[in-house]
Amino acid sequence: MALNLVMLGPPAAGKGTQAKTIAREYRIPHISTGDMLREAVQAGTPIGLAAKALMEAGKLVSDDVMIGVVRERLDRPDTREGFVLDGFPRTVAQATALDGLMGPRAPLVVVEVVVPAEVLVARACGRRTCRDCGTITTDANASCPTCGGALLQRRDDCEEVVRERLRVYERDTRPLVDYYRRRPTFQPVDGNQPPDAVATAIRHAVETALETAATAGRRV
Ligand code: AMP
């Protein structure tokens, strides 16, 4: 069965790192709407120009724009065997639209990465991304632990903007936990442990969700 995975969780919960790992393991694309927007900002496209100030302030880009971006991306043939969505949906309107886009595809598996708020601010403010290979690290390294490239801090990873992003998460994205909670393919995972342990927990959660979906499918 295809794996259509949504990684849900607050900023700096480790979603991006974990999403990349699971996408590699299942050989499906990692779709990060934050990365897509940052590329659009770099390229100076109309979407990038519209998103830049909102991103720097920790606010959300409009549902219409984001739903359009994701619809186009999920239309591409490389998502046929599944995908890992990282950073989408972020509102109930986006979640409803995503359900509409799924149509006859396999069901969504939703993993919520749970991390206490006080841990998140410290993590986000210490987070650096490698300019060359994209590795994300919170170690106080001068260079990337993977390839030795230069480490950069995201403009929205300073304390004031992180706190705003957490407020936005609580207001707009936390309601998605209730939106998805009753589905048999929803799985919470403890994100407040070392990355390898989180990865193991996510793998287990995904396998459990896929088995549940397959069993439910056989009953229909
Ligand atoms: P992320 O890399 O997922 O933390 O996203 C960085 C920023 O991009 C967010 O703070 C938002 O400004 C914007 N963004 C990314 N994904 C979405 C989305 N699904 N809906 C609205 N804004 C988004």
Side-chain angles (χ1 to χ4, degrees), residues 84-157:
V84 182
L85 266 177
D86 162 17
F88 185 98
R90 260 179 157 96
T91 64
V92 171
Q94 292 179 15
T96 311
L98 179 60
D99 280 337
L101 292 176
M102 294 312 291
R105 290 179 184 236
L108 284 176
V109 172
V110 181
V111 168
E112 182 199 9
V113 184
V114 182
V115 179
E118 60 278 12
V119 177
L120 296 170
V121 176
R123 267 201 206 173
C125 296
R127 177 164 74 172
R128 301 288 183 276
T129 307
C130 175
R131 187 189 57 191
D132 299 329
C133 75
T135 292
I136 297 167
T137 177
T138 49
D139 291 344
N141 294 314
S143 56
C144 172
T146 307
C147 76
L151 295 177
L152 305 175
Q153 184 173 31
R154 270 171 52 171
R155 292 172 77 120
D156 57 353
D157 271 349

Side-chain angles (χ1 to χ4, degrees), residues 11 15 32-35 37-38 51 54-56 58-63 66 70 86-91 94 127 154 156 165:
K15 292 190 304 294
S32 156
T33 46
D35 284 351
L37 290 172
R38 281 183 285 277
L54 290 167
M55 293 173 76
E56 283 177 6
K59 314 268 186 217
L60 294 186
V61 175
S62 79
D63 286 335
M66 296 316 301
V70 170
D86 162 17
F88 185 98
R90 260 179 157 96
T91 64
Q94 292 179 15
R127 177 164 74 172
R154 270 171 52 171
D156 57 353
R165 287 162 64 206

Side-chain angles (χ1 to χ4, degrees), residues 13-47:
K15 292 190 304 294
T17 304
Q18 298 296 339
K20 276 183 205 153
T21 303
I22 201 108
R24 208 172 31 242
E25 285 176 8
Y26 281 79
R27 295 178 197 187
I28 49 180
H30 166 224
I31 303 176
S32 156
T33 46
D35 284 351
M36 291 167 85
L37 290 172
R38 281 183 285 277
E39 280 162 22
V41 169
Q42 280 292 318
T45 67
I47 286 179

